[in-house]
Structures are given as C-alpha cells and as structure tokens.
C-alpha cells in the first residue's frame, strides 16, 4: 500500500508529519495520528476542514517573507490540481480556490508528499461555505 508523508503546519509554528495511506483522507490520517483538525460535514460541502498546500515533495518552502509574516503565498510551482484526488467533488471550493492550493482535508487523498497549512487563518482566507 502506498502512503505519503503530509506535514501539517499550524500558524503558531507547530508541525506534525503524518503518513496518509492511498485510500485514506488526510483528515482520517490526522485523527489516527492524534492531530486535532476542525471538521464538520466530512463530505466536502462545508469549508470547516480547509487547508492550503504550501509545497509538494522536493520543492523549497513557500515564501514566508510577506509583510508581518502573516501571509504565505502558495508556491507557484505547486500544482494543487494534481496534488490531490478527492473521493467526491469538493463542492465547497471554487475552481480558483483549488488552483490557489486550498484543499478539503476530509475528502482529499494526497498524490505525493506535501506540506499543508492548517488552522483558522486558512479558513478565514476562504470564508464561509457557499451553502451557509
């Protein structure tokens, strides 16, 4: 069985790397590993579990030089559309949000090792669910 290492990065600087099996969502793997992530629907229809792709395997870290260190623009080389497969369509994300690296962790399966920013700031960047 194939698995990928996914490093979860919180805005307080803490990180945790988890192994995600090919048939497992990132959220399920995080829970198995004891990492606490917010979630609600588990169907990709709300935005509660959203994360943001920072880098794929072999890439350098995303630019953290934004003013005040609060913005972490997505790595231009990280092709978010190819980074994950979904067990169902991520209805709560627009095509542009997916292209910008946002991912719904409850239904996403990574296709390579990667780093993902998680936490309330990421959710605030995306906003409320389109169904709210």
């Amino acid at each position: 069985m194939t698995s990928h290492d996914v490093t979860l990065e919180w805005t307080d600087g803490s990180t945790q790397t988890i192994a995600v099996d090919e048939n497992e969502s990132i959220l399920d793997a995080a829970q198995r590993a004891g990492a606490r992530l917010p979630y609600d629907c588990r169907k990709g229809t709300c935005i509660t579990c959203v994360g943001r792709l920072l880098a794929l395997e072999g890439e350098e870290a995303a630019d953290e030089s934004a003013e005040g260190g609060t913005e972490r623009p997505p790595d231009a080389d990280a092709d978010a559309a190819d980074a994950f497969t979904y067990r169902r369509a991520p209805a709560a994300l627009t095509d542009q949000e997916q292209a910008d690296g946002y991912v719904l962790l409850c239904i996403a399966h990574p296709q390579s090792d990667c780093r993902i920013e998680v936490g309330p700031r990421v959710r605030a960047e995306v906003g409320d669910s389109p169904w709210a």
Side-chain angles (χ1 to χ4, degrees):
M1 179 178 292
T2 303
S3 73
H4 298 288
D5 289 337
V6 174
T7 300
L8 304 171
E9 296 186 15
W10 284 265
T11 54
D12 67 358
S14 62
T15 64
Q16 183 171 352
T17 300
I18 59 173
V20 183
D21 293 335
E22 62 186 338
N23 295 322
E24 184 176 39
S25 73
I26 296 168
L27 176 63
D28 288 340
Q31 289 183 322
R32 180 175 42 79
R36 295 185 65 196
L37 295 175
Y39 66 93
D40 190 10
C41 74
R42 289 187 166 268
K43 297 178 182 174
T45 57
C46 77
I47 207 79
T48 305
C49 67
V50 70
R52 186 176 186 192
L53 178 67
L54 296 173
L56 294 171
E57 176 182 20
E59 294 182 336
E60 293 298 319
D63 182 8
E64 298 181 37
S65 62
E67 193 170 313
T70 58
E71 293 291 326
R72 299 183 76 178
D75 187 328
D77 296 327
D79 188 355
D82 295 332
F84 306 97
T85 59
Y86 285 101
R87 65 172 72 154
R88 63 178 62 199
L93 292 177
T94 66
D95 290 343
Q96 184 60 53
E97 289 167 338
Q98 291 179 62
D100 289 344
Y102 294 102
V103 58
L104 297 178
L105 303 177
C106 70
I107 57 171
H109 305 270
Q111 299 303 295
S112 66
D113 295 353
C114 61
R115 294 177 31 240
I116 300 173
E117 182 180 19
V118 296
R121 186 174 78 201
V122 178
R123 183 168 185 264
E125 291 171 356
V126 177
D128 291 328
S129 168
W131 319 113

